[in-house]
């Protein structure tokens, strides 16, 4: 199929172009209209947060010979996936694939908050003391591998068009950079926009040190899952300017702002002490 060949041949150019293009736009916007003052210098943030992004890209390239797009092509050649059993219009298959993949990413995000061992990996993302465009790509390599395996499994089960997977990757990367950026959006625009896409103000709530706020707004791209599944929270209690970002226990810049510390962070501390098994339940007769 022609479109598959075009997408496969230009996949890297499309993805890299979108990445650097959106990164540049958001970086300029952050200089022109910042939402908050940074606590760690921008130079340190860019070197270390983008350092982990490039490190992850290199590792994935080294360990996984094919990426999601290649997996989608392989699945379609094998005739794998649900979409092979339904005769839907091409555009509809693309739209459904993107929405379903986004829902799976939402569920994965809830899971890495709920399972203590996985939270260790995901807390590298949350330990960032500030919130800007570089936070969007700051994930531990082990979490990147986990995401990749989940995405592969979803592609095998779903059998989405190759085009849908490329569009999804580009949208997800773009919205992750947008909704992590330290930009000031007029409140009226934010209120309307957050019905169709996760906005920076909406996702900033998720980076609060407060547990109940950090366990809200899991969406990366579409904001509907949070509203639908009861994890939506409008604003942070302390306000966007004065709320504290990061994790209570980990505030030492050496550990959370520098690359070596970030890579070691999942292996620090005891395995318990977070999420589901931490909550205290009161039996009715104890009241
Ligand atoms: Zn999270
Ligand atoms: Zn985030």
């Amino acid at each position: 199929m022609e479109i598959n060949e075009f997408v496969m041949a230009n996949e890297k150019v499309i993805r890299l172009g979108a990445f650097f293009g959106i990164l540049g736009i958001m970086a300029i916007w952050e200089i022109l209209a910042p939402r908050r003052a940074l606590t760690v210098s921008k130079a340190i943030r860019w070197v270390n947060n983008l350092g982990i992004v490039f490190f992850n890209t290199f590792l994935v390239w080294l360990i996984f010979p094919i990426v999601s797009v290649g997996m989608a092509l392989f699945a379609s050649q094998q005739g794998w996936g649900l979409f092979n059993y339904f005769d839907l219009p091409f555009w509809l298959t693309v739209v459904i694939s993107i929405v379903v993949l986004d829902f799976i990413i939402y569920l994965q995000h809830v899971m890495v908050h709920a399972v203590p061992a996985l939270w260790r990996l995901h807390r590298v993302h949350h330990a960032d003391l500030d919130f800007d465009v570089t936070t969007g790509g700051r994930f531990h390599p082990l979490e990147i591998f986990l995401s990749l395996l989940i995405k592969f499994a979803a592609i095998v089960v779903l059998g989405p068009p190759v085009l849908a997977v490329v569009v999804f990757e580009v949208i997800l990367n773009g919205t992750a950079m947008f909704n992590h950026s330290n930009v000031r959006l007029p409140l009226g625009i934010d209120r309307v926009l957050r019905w169709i896409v996760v906005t920076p103000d909406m996702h900033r709530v998720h980076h609060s040190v407060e547990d109940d706020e950090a366990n809200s707004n899991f969406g990366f791209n579409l904001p509907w899952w949070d509203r639908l599944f009861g994890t939506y929270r409008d604003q942070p209690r302390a306000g966007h300017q004065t709320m504290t970002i990061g994790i209570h226990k980990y505030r030492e810049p050496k550990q959370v702002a520098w690359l070596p510390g970030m890579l070691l962070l999942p292996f620090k501390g005891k395995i318990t002490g977070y999420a589901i098994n931490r909550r205290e339940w009161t039996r009715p007769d104890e009241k």
Side-chain angles (χ1 to χ4, degrees):
M1 201 177 151
E2 259 172 47
I3 192 152
N4 281 356
E5 280 166 22
F6 174 81
V7 167
M8 283 309 290
N10 297 288
E11 184 249 333
K12 277 203 179 65
V13 178
I14 297 169
R15 285 177 55 184
L16 277 177
F19 173 76
F20 285 109
I22 297 166
L23 180 67
I25 292 169
M26 297 320 301
I28 293 168
W29 192 347
E30 283 182 344
I31 293 170
L32 296 178
R35 184 74 157 118
R36 292 164 53 95
L38 298 177
T39 61
V40 177
S41 91
K42 201 170 251 192
I44 293 178
R45 298 184 49 68
W46 275 69
V47 167
N48 290 281
N49 283 359
L50 290 185
I52 207 168
V53 172
F54 292 124
F55 181 65
N56 288 338
T57 311
F58 173 70
L59 278 184
V60 168
W61 171 77
L62 206 68
I63 296 170
F64 289 92
I66 58 163
V67 283
S68 306
V69 183
M71 193 68 194
L73 186 68
F74 183 67
S76 80
Q77 284 163 350
Q78 305 296 314
W80 290 348
L82 283 173
F83 281 125
N84 288 301
Y85 295 90
F86 302 97
D87 197 20
L88 298 173
F90 181 70
W91 66 268
L92 188 60
T93 321
V94 172
V95 172
I96 296 175
S97 301
I98 291 171
V99 173
V100 172
L101 285 172
D102 192 64
F103 178 52
I104 290 167
I105 299 284
Y106 166 84
L107 290 179
Q108 181 195 332
H109 193 182
V110 174
M111 177 180 80
V112 296
H113 272 252
V115 180
L118 300 181
W119 165 249
R120 287 174 161 252
L121 303 178
H122 185 60
R123 74 187 177 191
V124 173
H125 180 66
H126 280 263
D128 199 337
L129 299 170
D130 291 298
F131 180 87
D132 75 1
V133 61
T134 66
T135 313
R138 183 191 143 123
F139 291 94
H140 196 273
L142 291 174
E143 185 173 7
I144 295 285
F145 290 142
L146 176 73
S147 310
L148 215 54
L149 292 177
I150 290 173
K151 225 181 293 172
F152 282 0
I155 288 168
V156 167
V157 172
L158 211 60
V162 173
L163 180 73
V165 176
V166 176
V167 172
F168 176 72
E169 297 269 356
V170 169
I171 292 178
L172 188 69
N173 266 312
T175 51
M177 283 191 276
F178 167 69
N179 65 38
H180 283 90
S181 59
N182 182 32
V183 296
R184 212 170 43 230
L185 263 181
L187 295 182
I189 293 180
D190 176 273
R191 212 171 306 130
V192 178
L193 206 58
R194 64 165 74 185
W195 280 104
I196 38 175
V197 70
V198 175
T199 63
D201 273 11
M202 181 173 164
H203 192 67
R204 195 176 297 101
V205 178
H206 183 74
H207 281 259
S208 165
V209 286
E210 304 299 333
D211 282 343
D212 55 344
E213 293 180 343
N215 287 314
S216 309
N217 299 2
F218 292 97
F220 265 111
N221 183 15
L222 297 173
W224 312 324
W225 315 121
D226 284 302
R227 295 189 190 252
L228 214 55
F229 291 91
T231 50
Y232 178 70
R233 192 177 285 259
D234 206 20
Q235 308 294 343
R237 270 186 301 276
H240 288 283
Q241 316 280 348
T242 41
M243 67 183 283
T244 310
I245 284 173
I247 301 175
H248 270 308
K249 272 202 319 203
Y250 301 99
R251 309 211 59 84
E252 182 57 50
K254 265 244 129 4
Q255 197 172 33
V256 297
W258 290 87
L259 187 58
M262 284 186 222
L263 292 176
L264 291 174
L265 195 60
F267 311 102
K268 295 269 188 272
K270 276 195 255 151
I271 193 125
T272 51
Y274 184 75
I276 303 176
N277 57 358
R278 172 220 51 184
R279 201 174 291 155
E280 286 174 25
W281 299 97
T282 318
R283 284 206 308 271
D285 56 303
E286 283 176 342
K287 275 188 186 156

